[in-house]
């Protein structure tokens, strides 16, 4: 049981390049999320998905796109990389059921992708 | 949206207790969480509290919730060097999304 797996762990991009951050989970969680973490800041929600085929914007969606074709995978796409997108990106997943047993598990996070745009 | 506030830095001697505080704004939050982030790692769930509780104890961790003041705290008893990390509080909204504070960096001095 691997949990949430993110690839790559590190990446350097040039301004204007594009890339996809991969995220996959094997826990059959229905909800998945992408956050970015900037130094000294908390996590900001970029996009989230409540199930396959359904995605929605979070607080900071500009410059990003997502898709959710399967329950397991939730890739994040950067089309035209900008220096402001230099950050650490975390993918997470969770159940969503009105059951305290599931609430106790909270979110499961991946180990992050450190992206630098130069 | 929710706005979760945390102070930024705390140093504590090994063996002492640490207390980390957090305030939140969404009075309808049903669950509040504490996460731990070690250097270079993702966030790990430490504990959570349901909004109808005032206190929850889990081994060395004690969570206190003051709903009237929207104040959440985490006490770590007998702090160890392995407790050095950034600690985030988070509240859950009605759409199952978590809003995180900026985090408290805790440094444990041997």
């Amino acid at each position: 049981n691997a949990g949430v797996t993110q690839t790559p762990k590190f990446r350097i991009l040039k301004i204007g390049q594009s890339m996809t951050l991969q995220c996959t989970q094997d826990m059959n969680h229905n909800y998945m999320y992408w956050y970015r973490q900037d130094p000294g800041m908390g996590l900001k929600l970029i996009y989230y998905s409540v199930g396959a085929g359904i995605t929605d914007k979070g607080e900071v969606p500009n410059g990003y796109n997502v898709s959710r074709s399967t329950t397991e995978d939730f890739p994040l796409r950067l089309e035209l990389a900008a220096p402001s997108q230099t950050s650490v990106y975390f993918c997470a997943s969770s159940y969503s059921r009105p059951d305290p047993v599931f609430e106790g598990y909270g979110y499961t996070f991946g180990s992050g992708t450190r992206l630098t745009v130069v | 949206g929710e706005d979760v506030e945390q102070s930024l830095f705390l140093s504590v001697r090994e063996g002492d207790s640490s207390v980390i505080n957090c305030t939140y704004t969404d009075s309808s939050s049903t669950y509040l969480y504490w996460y731990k982030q070690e250097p270079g790692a993702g966030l790990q769930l430490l504990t959570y509290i349901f909004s109808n509780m005032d206190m929850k104890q889990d081994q060395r961790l004690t969570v206190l919730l003051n709903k009237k003041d929207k104040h959440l705290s985490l006490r770590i008893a007998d702090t160890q060097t392995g407790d050095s990390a950034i600690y985030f509080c988070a509240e859950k909204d009605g759409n199952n999304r978590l809003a995180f504070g900026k985090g408290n960096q805790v440094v444990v001095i041997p």
Side-chain angles (χ1 to χ4, degrees), chain A residues 31 33 35 37 40-43 45 48 57 90 94-96 99-100 103-107 109-111 114, chain B residues 2 8 30-31 33 35 37 40-45 48 86 88 92 95-103:
Chain A
Y31 276 52
Y33 315 83
Y35 284 88
Q37 183 181 28
M41 305 294 289
L43 279 73
L45 182 64
Y48 68 105
K57 296 178 180 179
F90 289 101
S94 72
Y95 285 114
S96 176
D99 184 332
E103 293 293 348
Y105 291 103
Y107 286 15
F109 280 84
S111 57
R114 186 174 295 273
Chain B
E2 298 83 6
L8 294 180
T30 53
Y31 289 91
Y33 298 83
Y35 280 84
Q37 185 182 31
L43 277 71
Q44 172 194 0
L45 177 66
Y48 72 100
I86 302 175
F88 294 93
K92 179 176 284 192
N95 292 316
N96 204 50
R97 299 175 301 186
L98 288 183
F100 289 86
K102 294 180 181 179

Side-chain angles (χ1 to χ4, degrees), chain B residues 10-21 60-62 73-80 83-84 87 106-108:
Chain B
L10 174 70
S11 70
V12 60
R13 292 206 175 274
E14 190 175 11
D16 288 350
S17 294
S18 315
V19 179
I20 307 164
N21 296 298
R60 294 191 295 118
L61 306 177
T62 303
S73 69
L74 174 69
R75 179 177 181 270
I76 306 172
D78 187 25
T79 310
Q80 305 296 307
D83 295 326
S84 291
Y87 292 82
V106 174
V107 174
V108 181

